Amino acid sequence: MRYLIGFSYKGTHYHGWQIQPNGVTVQSELTAALSLVLRKEIELTGAGRTDAGVHAKRMAAHFDYEDEIVDSRNLVNKLNSLLPLDIAVHDIKRVADDFHARFDAKSRTYKYYITRSKSPFLTDLAAKMTFPLNVEMMNEAAATLFDYTDFTSFSKVHTDTKTNNCKIMRAEWGYESDCLVFTVQADRFLRNMVRAIVGTMLEVGKGKLSVAGFREIIEKKDRCLAGTSAPAEGLYLCDVEY
C-alpha cells in the first residue's frame, strides 16, 4: 500500500532534503522516525529536493507499507514526538499504488523572502538586504518569465535532468508583513533555479541590469551570464499540488 505524507521543516540545520553520506538531512530524519514507528525499513520518495538551508512550508513524499494505516492521526502524533522541533508532519493518507510524489505533481510553489531591516525574528528565515530596490522593474522582469520555457540560464550546471524546460504559471513580487516576497509557481523547477532567478532579478532591482538584459540572459541559455544565486535562508517550498 502506498501513502502520501505531508510535512514542513526549517532547513537551517540540514544539508537539504535528500539523504547525504556526510550530513544530516530532512529525509534521513523523517525516514528514521517512520521506520522506528512502523517497525519496518521505510523508503521515502520526495516531491523534489531542497538545498541546504532552504525551508519548506509544505513538502510531500510517498512511501510503501504492507499494512493499512487505520489511525493516521495517531501515527502523525507519534512521528512528531520523535522528530526534531524543526520538522513537523501534518498528515498521512492512502493513495493509489502507482502514485508518485514527484512525477504526479502538477505544480510547485516557492516563495523567496527578503527582510529590509534587521530582525531577530527573521534570522535564518529571510534574506537581509538593505540596498534600494526598484520593485516595479523587478516585476517587469518577472513577467518576462512567462514568455519562455527553457531556463538553462538559471539551472545548476552538470545536472542529470533530461530537459531544462519548465512552465511558469505565476511569478510576481509583493509584500507580506515586513518582507518583500517573490512568489513563483511552475510545473517543475531546475536545481537552484529559483535562487538564480531571484539573484538575477535583484540586479534588475539595483539598476545594474535592464529588463531587456534579463530577457537576453534567458535567451542565451548560459548560467554564467545570470546573477549570483540568492542566499538559501530566504527560500521556501510552499506547496505541492497534485
Side-chain angles (χ1 to χ4, degrees):
M1 298 180 185
R2 184 155 291 183
Y3 293 90
L4 179 67
I5 180 170
F7 52 98
S8 60
Y9 53 86
K10 178 182 176 183
T12 305
H13 302 299
Y14 297 99
H15 288 74
W17 154 255
Q18 192 168 353
I19 290 177
Q20 305 289 335
N22 299 307
V24 179
T25 67
V26 178
Q27 187 180 22
S28 63
E29 291 288 325
L30 189 53
T31 298
L34 264 173
S35 299
L36 180 61
V37 173
L38 296 179
R39 299 180 181 180
K40 181 185 177 181
E41 198 68 31
I42 298 296
E43 291 186 9
L44 277 171
T45 300
R49 56 186 175 188
T50 55
D51 293 333
V54 174
H55 318 292
K57 292 185 177 182
R58 179 72 184 184
M59 175 61 153
H62 77 251
F63 66 92
D64 293 330
Y65 184 58
E66 57 192 16
D67 296 327
E68 182 179 1
I69 297 175
V70 178
D71 190 348
S72 61
R73 178 47 50 187
N74 183 51
L75 177 56
V76 167
N77 291 337
K78 286 183 178 179
L79 289 171
N80 283 332
S81 68
L82 287 172
L83 288 164
L85 295 176
D86 47 13
I87 302 176
V89 175
H90 302 300
D91 48 64
I92 297 172
K93 62 181 180 180
R94 175 83 185 276
V95 291
D97 291 342
D98 62 350
F99 174 88
H100 198 285
R102 178 183 174 188
F103 299 125
D104 286 348
K106 301 299 182 184
S107 72
R108 298 160 176 84
T109 301
Y110 281 89
K111 290 190 176 187
Y112 193 90
Y113 289 80
I114 296 174
T115 178
R116 310 294 284 143
S117 58
K118 182 178 180 180
S119 171
F121 305 106
L122 292 175
T123 301
D124 298 326
L125 297 175
K128 182 172 177 283
M129 300 179 186
T130 57
F131 42 77
L133 288 171
N134 187 327
V135 179
E136 183 178 351
M137 293 297 292
M138 290 161 64
N139 262 322
E140 286 189 30
T144 68
L145 295 170
F146 298 113
D147 297 335
Y148 301 93
T149 55
D150 189 329
F151 293 101
T152 299
S153 293
F154 300 129
S155 173
K156 191 171 184 177
V157 296
H158 307 306
T159 63
D160 56 0
T161 56
K162 296 180 180 179
T163 175
N164 287 338
N165 287 354
C166 308
K167 180 183 178 182
I168 302 290
M169 304 167 184
R170 181 183 178 189
E172 61 184 357
W173 288 90
Y175 293 92
E176 291 184 17
S177 299
D178 296 328
C179 288
L180 174 63
V181 183
F182 176 62
T183 302
V184 60
Q185 180 185 17
D187 60 344
R188 63 190 292 266
F189 286 91
L190 309 173
R191 288 194 65 185
N192 204 238
M193 178 175 166
V194 180
R195 290 169 60 195
I197 288 176
V198 171
T200 309
M201 280 193 287
L202 288 173
E203 295 298 297
V204 175
K206 289 186 285 188
K208 296 183 177 181
L209 179 68
S210 67
V211 174
F214 181 82
R215 185 183 289 275
E216 184 178 354
I217 286 172
I218 300 175
E219 293 175 352
K220 291 288 187 180
K221 301 176 184 179
D222 184 349
R223 178 65 184 92
C224 295
L225 298 177
T228 303
S229 294
E233 63 264 27
L235 184 59
Y236 291 73
L237 172 60
C238 290
D239 196 18
V240 182
E241 296 184 356
Y242 294 98

